[in-house]
Amino acid sequence: GAVVSQHPSWVICKSGTSVKIECRSLDFQATTMFWYRQFPKQSLMLMATSNEGSKATYEQGVEKDKFLINHASLTLSTLTVTSAHPEDSSFYICSARPMGRGGVTGELFFGEGSRLTVL
Amino acid sequence: QKEVEQDPGPLSVPEGAIVSLNCTYSNSAFQYFMWYRQYSRKGPELLMYTYSSGNKEDGRFTAQVDKSSKYISLFIRDSQPSDSATYLCAMAPSGYALNFGKGTSLLVTP
């Protein structure tokens, strides 16, 4: 399967600081990437859809000014958690769909996830 | 009522057993059904993908979709300790937005 890489895999930061998480598709191009958040023993919750070259689409209840998403190229999307607080501590996971597979929603590949701990 | 319901378990079985994992859903528009395996502190890995109703088999894994009952299943034959993980069902009507179940934690004991 296709490979999606996330970095960093684990980050600890102080309250009030900003943290950037990168999501890269290593062996394919992706016009669309997705950012999820997962709390312990909970399901993945879609936060936003990242579109290359345009603004991200945020799910209801997700603060777009707090979770900044940039999809500057066909292989890279970044999620920046601004002014992070302890309640933002979570497991953030990105996913991507290879180009050219329009309606085949099954072929969605996930990164390894980034665990954020805000002290 | 959540759109996708999945028993979180945990489910514990002995090595070699047949495992049955299930999800129910309420949205009749769902057409794409997926099963992901997630190891602790890792991202989900796609195991099976099914479109509409029917069965699909891949090695020791079999996915079944019963749209009339809004019920999907994943069977694991000859379960191994390495199968111990959380299994997530996911489904979508079309396009991109996947709806995930909470995941079922599976433990296969030697």
Side-chain angles (χ1 to χ4, degrees):
Chain A
V3 179
V4 177
S5 173
Q6 271 185 250
H7 177 80
S9 57
W10 195 3
V11 57
I12 301 174
C13 70
K14 292 182 178 180
S15 184
T17 60
S18 295
V19 174
K20 180 185 285 187
I21 301 170
E22 292 186 348
C23 176
R24 293 181 185 273
S25 55
L26 298 186
D27 52 0
F28 66 94
Q29 293 182 324
T31 54
T32 305
M33 292 184 175
F34 307 90
W35 287 96
Y36 294 82
R37 181 165 53 184
Q38 186 179 34
F39 292 105
K41 300 189 184 299
Q42 297 295 316
S43 183
L44 281 76
M45 298 300 296
L46 179 64
M47 298 176 64
T49 302
S50 169
N51 302 298
E52 187 267 337
S54 64
K55 291 184 178 180
T57 304
Y58 290 82
E59 296 299 302
Q60 190 173 12
V62 178
E63 301 174 60
K64 57 184 176 183
D65 294 332
K66 182 170 186 61
F67 299 100
L68 301 179
I69 291 173
N70 185 284
H71 194 154
S73 77
L74 289 172
T75 59
L76 173 64
S77 175
T78 60
L79 168 68
T80 301
V81 183
T82 62
S83 186
H85 289 93
E87 58 266 29
D88 298 323
S89 298
S90 187
F91 193 50
Y92 293 87
I93 310 174
C94 71
S95 67
R97 173 178 294 106
M99 287 179 64
R101 301 179 183 180
V104 183
T105 61
E107 294 187 316
L108 189 65
F109 299 96
F110 283 83
E112 290 286 281
S114 299
R115 185 164 300 281
L116 171 64
T117 301
V118 184
L119 302 177
Chain B
Q1 179 190 9
K2 291 188 176 181
E3 286 199 297
V4 181
E5 297 282 357
Q6 184 176 10
D7 187 338
L11 179 63
S12 181
V13 301
E15 183 175 358
I18 296 176
V19 176
S20 174
L21 304 166
N22 313 291
C23 288
T24 59
Y25 63 95
S26 57
N27 189 341
S28 58
F30 288 151
Q31 296 186 74
Y32 300 91
F33 302 91
M34 285 135 276
W35 285 95
Y36 287 87
R37 177 174 61 195
Q38 185 176 25
Y39 291 109
S40 181
R41 301 176 185 274
K42 298 291 186 181
E45 171 192 10
L46 179 63
L47 280 179
M48 301 287 285
Y49 158 69
T50 308
Y51 173 72
S52 193
S53 286
N55 296 355
K56 187 172 185 178
E57 186 174 325
D58 184 1
R60 296 185 294 112
F61 298 90
T62 299
Q64 290 185 350
V65 174
D66 182 348
K67 292 187 72 178
S68 62
S69 302
K70 297 190 179 64
Y71 187 87
I72 69 171
S73 301
L74 177 70
F75 298 95
I76 307 174
R77 291 185 299 280
D78 187 25
S79 56
Q80 303 295 310
S82 58
D83 294 328
S84 298
T86 296
Y87 290 80
L88 298 153
C89 64
M91 49 198 80
S94 64
Y96 304 112
L98 288 181
N99 296 270
F100 282 89
K102 279 192 174 183
T104 299
S105 177
L106 172 66
L107 176 64
V108 181
T109 56

